[in-house]
């Protein structure tokens, strides 16, 4: 693409992780994340605390990213940042910092859509990872998002399905809360699900039209189920925890796979890429692997550190936009509800 080394600094601060990464020509040189532990005791992200923590973390995180990449800030060609979607107070910290740095260094500023970044993370150059060919379907599943996107080119994306209420990660986390598990509960449910019987308990799947999702009904169904069982047996949760976790996970994966199958049928596209924190789930990974043999799909899961919120995915979008000369103006504003 270019004979010159292009260095991009990327900043991500849309939710509760302050992250910075340095990329050179599509390859990651450093990928630093300061996760905010403070939210654990509240059982969810507290926006006010998140923006304060970003303000505290941002300079040390950027400094570490530059040091680990072995470059000086004067070598940077552009600064990329997450413009949205996300929590406004959190986005403002990264946006303001990126603007000031780009202005001070007199280099281009590049705005990045967080949801596009989750998808384009598949194009970070990594030896052992294959990049999906266009067109492909991307399913972004995390604590903040649940979408199925048709991707015809890097910046030609169409959302063909999304949640009408909770995100799938919230379904894991809120169910976990009902079971007395810590936050976030997704990884713990995944671990316990491996030891339980997925068909021990049956939860009704929501009926939602087309390719859209709904997870709030499932949470209520689980709540009523647990209340009923605990009334009959106060030790119900303790004695059946692995089976309950396995059954919840089985139901959630069933919901995701049903919609993916529908999306493949509707579009005729059978290259499927996933991203977002929930793509770490061993059950969804297994279901996708099985779909390769069963339905002839080709599936793509990015390297683990590029699935959860990170700045490496912001860097690849920054790099692709840099090559196109697609820069932001210094008057650009953070946008909490930015669409793909
Ligand atoms: O992408 P992410 O780090 O942050 C955003 O929400 O954007 O995703 C975090 C979500 C949480 O809801 C967490 O419970 C879920 O991903 N998660 C998992 C697993 N690992 C993380 N859910 C199910 N199984 C997992 N192994
Ligand atoms: Zn995200």
């Amino acid at each position: 693409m270019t004979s010159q080394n292009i260095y991009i600094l990327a900043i991500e601060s849309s939710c509760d992780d302050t992250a910075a990464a340095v990329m050179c020509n599509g390859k990651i040189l450093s990928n630093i994340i300061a996760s905010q532990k403070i939210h654990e005791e509240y059982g969810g992200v507290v926006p006010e605390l998140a923006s304060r923590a970003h303000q505290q973390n941002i300079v040390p995180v950027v400094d570490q990213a530059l040091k680990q990449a072995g470059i000086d800030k004067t070598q940077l060609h552009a600064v990329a940042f997450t413009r949205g979607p996300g929590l406004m107070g959190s986005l403002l910290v990264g946006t303001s910092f990126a603007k000031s740095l780009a202005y001070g260094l007199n280099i281009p500023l590049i705005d990045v859509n967080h949801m596009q970044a989750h998808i384009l993370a598949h194009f970070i150059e990594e030896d052992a990872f294959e990049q999906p060919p266009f067109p492909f379907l991307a399913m972004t599943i995390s604590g903040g998002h649940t979408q199925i996107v048709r991707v015809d080119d890097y910046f030609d994306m169409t959302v063909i399905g999304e949640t009408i209420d909770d995100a799938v990660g919230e379904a894991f986390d809120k169910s976990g809360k009902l079971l007395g598990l810590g936050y976030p509960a997704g990884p713990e449910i995944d671990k316990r699900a491996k030891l339980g019987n997925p068909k021990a308990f049956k939860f009704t799947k929501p009926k939602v039209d087309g390719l859209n999702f709904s997870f709030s009904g499932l949470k209520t169904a689980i709540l009523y189920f647990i209340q009923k069982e605990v009334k009959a047996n106060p030790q119900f949760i303790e004695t059946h925890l692995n089976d309950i976790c396995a059954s919840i996970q089985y139901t959630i994966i069933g919901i995701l796979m049903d919609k993916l199958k529908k999306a493949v049928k509707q579009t005729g596209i059978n290259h499927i890429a996933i991203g977002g924190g929930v793509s770490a789930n061993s059950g969804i990974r297994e279901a996708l692997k099985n779909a390769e043999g069963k339905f002839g799909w080709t599936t793509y899961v990015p390297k683990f550190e590029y699935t959860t919120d990170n700045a490496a995915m912001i860097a690849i979008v920054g790099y692709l936009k840099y090559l196109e000369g697609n820069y932001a103006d210094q008057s650009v504003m953070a946008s909490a509800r930015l669409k793909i």
Side-chain angles (χ1 to χ4, degrees):
M1 279 192 206
T2 172
S3 55
Q4 199 196 349
N5 277 342
I6 304 294
Y7 293 105
I8 308 279
L9 171 72
I11 291 160
E12 153 66 31
S13 72
S14 65
C15 191
D16 61 339
D17 295 305
T18 318
V22 175
M23 169 170 273
C24 179
N25 300 350
K27 283 202 162 77
I28 288 298
L29 301 183
S30 62
N31 185 27
I32 309 296
I33 302 185
S35 295
Q36 304 176 1
K37 292 268 168 245
I38 181 91
H39 308 285
E40 282 173 16
E41 57 193 276
Y42 295 92
V45 177
V46 185
E48 171 74 18
L49 297 179
S51 28
R52 288 182 199 206
H54 282 307
Q55 198 161 50
Q56 197 170 33
N57 294 340
I58 192 138
V59 172
V61 164
V62 168
D63 193 52
Q64 207 184 332
L66 288 168
K67 284 206 176 98
Q68 210 179 85
I71 65 159
D72 185 79
K73 58 182 179 300
T74 55
Q75 290 174 267
L76 292 172
H77 290 81
V79 181
F81 70 99
T82 304
R83 184 178 169 216
L87 301 169
M88 185 45 99
S90 292
L91 291 166
L92 282 176
V93 179
T95 304
S96 303
F97 180 85
K99 280 190 183 194
S100 315
L101 186 62
Y103 183 67
L105 294 171
N106 199 21
I107 54 174
L109 174 70
I110 300 175
D111 60 314
V112 173
N113 179 311
H114 180 93
M115 297 311 297
Q116 285 190 343
H118 267 302
I119 295 169
L120 296 177
H122 286 272
F123 295 93
I124 296 172
E125 279 185 31
E126 284 288 340
D127 291 342
F129 289 78
E130 220 187 307
Q131 303 182 356
F134 298 116
F136 65 92
L137 296 178
M139 185 168 73
T140 20
I141 41 177
S142 77
H145 358 276
T146 308
Q147 288 188 328
I148 300 181
V149 182
R150 180 193 164 112
V151 188
D152 285 286
D153 206 337
Y154 294 128
F155 298 105
D156 183 1
M157 301 186 185
T158 316
V159 179
I160 56 173
E162 62 191 328
T163 182
I164 56 169
D165 43 55
D166 288 352
V168 59
E170 284 179 283
F172 275 102
D173 297 338
K174 288 179 178 177
S175 310
K177 203 170 177 179
L178 297 173
L179 299 170
L181 304 178
Y183 173 84
E188 175 79 13
I189 291 182
D190 189 4
K191 212 166 77 192
R192 290 187 171 277
K194 287 183 193 143
L195 308 169
N197 172 8
K199 296 193 176 156
F201 308 107
K202 198 167 160 47
F203 302 108
T204 328
K205 288 188 204 163
K207 287 189 181 57
V208 191
D209 284 345
L211 298 174
N212 283 341
F213 298 92
S214 166
F215 289 102
S216 64
L218 180 64
K219 177 193 64 195
T220 316
I222 293 167
L223 172 68
Y224 289 155
F225 163 77
I226 290 171
Q227 280 176 343
K228 190 175 125 244
E229 296 293 339
V230 167
K231 214 169 168 184
N233 167 15
Q235 256 71 57
F236 177 74
I237 294 179
E238 291 87 326
T239 47
H240 295 84
L241 194 50
N242 294 343
D243 284 348
I244 305 171
C245 288
S247 303
I248 291 173
Q249 181 164 307
Y250 180 77
T251 310
I252 292 176
I253 291 169
I255 295 169
L256 296 175
M257 291 304 290
D258 282 354
K259 294 290 176 169
L260 265 185
K261 279 184 236 167
K262 209 167 175 178
V264 170
K265 201 165 163 205
Q266 198 172 300
T267 60
I269 299 170
N270 60 6
H271 287 269
I272 316 288
I274 61 166
V278 179
S279 52
N281 184 269
S282 60
I284 188 76
R285 284 173 178 241
E286 199 184 317
L288 285 171
K289 265 280 149 267
N290 289 341
E292 296 206 330
K294 216 158 137 193
F295 310 125
W297 299 0
T298 312
T299 61
Y300 304 82
V301 184
K303 206 172 165 186
F304 180 72
E305 55 259 48
Y306 305 148
T307 59
T308 55
D309 284 355
N310 66 87
M313 68 182 195
I314 307 303
I316 186 67
V317 184
Y319 178 60
L320 293 167
K321 283 184 121 176
Y322 181 87
L323 295 178
E324 291 183 354
N326 188 355
Y327 309 146
D329 190 87
Q330 272 285 347
S331 63
V332 67
M333 291 196 294
S335 170
R337 296 183 179 276
L338 192 65
K339 298 262 183 256
I340 272 186

